[in-house]
Amino acid sequence: MSPADVAPTDPARTADSADAADVPGRLLTSGSSADLYALDDDRVLRRYRDGRDVGPERALLDHLAAHGFPAPRVHGDAGPGLVMDWLHGPTMLQALGAGEMSLHDAGDLLADLHRRLHAVPPPLGWHAAGLPAGAPSGPVVVHLDLHPGTVVLSERGPHVVDWSHARLGTPELDVAVTSLVVAEVVVDAGGDYSQAARALLASFLHASGTNPLPALDEAAALRAADPQLVPGERELVHDAAALVRTLVELTTHP
């Protein structure tokens, strides 16, 4: 788990978030749903503020580790939180911003991580926390938030963090969500960031080998309903979906 997994700490919020006796260690970052604390040089605690049951997330991470997928290793749970490896290193997003990674390599890596994840057999009897009975499912584990901000380039290689959205689904859905997240930057940022994000999106779509269009509408609905979106992001989803559709169709029918 990397401190970049959640947004920068808001000092005003942290003073109200917990009594001093309830703080397990140095607060590294605080995001929309979780706080990240340093327990020592090797471990962090990612604690959800809504008190959710972290059992399903721990079971999934243990399962992924047993099958060799690069996700944070869990040492234990503590109430609504997980004690995990502290993954030291920049996120892919930070590496791209610093010019330490090319957009082509980033697209290839995102596609490879999707392929590796979808090749892991789903855990028997596993069900993501918070999903209602009868929710759409599928044959593979999907992350549903795998993008340059959730890939940490640690000393042990790239690792995927932030599994709070994970469930069972289809590879097409996972690829579609990643495509939308990147496309939202294209339609919102303008200038150099927009051009770079468009190049990354094209590289990822080409490398993935998975057509996201059959699941694009479902992915857009998931993105639009995500309570963690900040003001203004939800309005980008429609244009992002249109861009993904255009790029895929141009690739398929040049």
Side-chain angles (χ1 to χ4, degrees):
M1 181 62 59
S2 163
D5 182 29
V6 286
T9 300
D10 178 355
R13 199 209 64 75
T14 60
D16 298 329
S17 63
D19 184 89
D22 189 43
V23 176
R26 178 167 58 95
L27 181 63
L28 297 172
T29 50
S30 185
S32 59
S33 63
D35 302 316
L36 192 70
Y37 297 92
L39 301 181
D40 53 39
D41 290 340
D42 300 312
R43 301 175 305 146
V44 295
L45 171 67
R46 188 173 196 262
R47 187 165 68 183
Y48 291 102
R49 292 193 297 275
D50 60 7
R52 73 182 64 179
D53 175 15
V54 296
E57 186 173 342
R58 178 179 182 178
L60 176 61
L61 291 173
D62 288 343
H63 178 80
L64 293 173
H67 286 82
F69 186 82
R73 184 165 59 101
V74 177
H75 297 275
D77 52 66
L82 293 172
V83 178
M84 295 183 261
D85 281 348
W86 186 342
L87 298 172
H88 296 277
T91 64
M92 184 191 294
L93 183 62
Q94 292 167 332
L96 285 168
E100 298 170 350
M101 187 177 205
S102 73
L103 294 166
H104 176 78
D105 287 346
D108 282 351
L109 179 55
L110 283 176
D112 181 62
L113 289 169
H114 275 276
R115 280 191 294 270
R116 292 177 63 185
L117 175 60
H118 303 154
V120 175
L124 294 175
W126 182 79
H127 187 74
L131 279 184
S137 186
V140 301
V141 175
V142 291
H143 184 277
L144 298 184
D145 200 28
L146 208 174
H147 55 76
T150 58
V151 178
V152 177
L153 306 178
S154 76
E155 302 101 322
R156 302 198 303 273
H159 280 64
V160 180
V161 299
D162 192 355
W163 292 84
S164 58
H165 292 78
R167 67 183 217 195
L168 298 181
T170 65
E172 292 80 6
L173 177 63
D174 219 5
V175 169
V177 171
T178 294
S179 300
L180 284 176
V181 172
V182 179
E184 287 164 24
V185 179
V186 180
V187 300
D188 179 53
D192 292 340
Y193 287 115
S194 179
Q195 294 173 25
R198 187 184 183 97
L200 174 60
L201 176 60
S203 176
F204 169 67
L205 288 170
H206 175 75
S208 74
T210 297
N211 182 0
L213 295 190
L216 189 59
D217 289 343
E218 181 184 358
L222 285 175
R223 284 293 295 166
D226 189 344
Q228 296 183 20
L229 292 185
V230 301
E233 286 184 330
R234 191 166 286 104
E235 290 73 20
L236 301 173
V237 175
H238 178 270
D239 289 345
L243 174 61
V244 171
R245 191 176 302 278
T246 296
L247 289 180
V248 172
E249 290 175 347
L250 283 174
T251 302
T252 307
H253 306 288

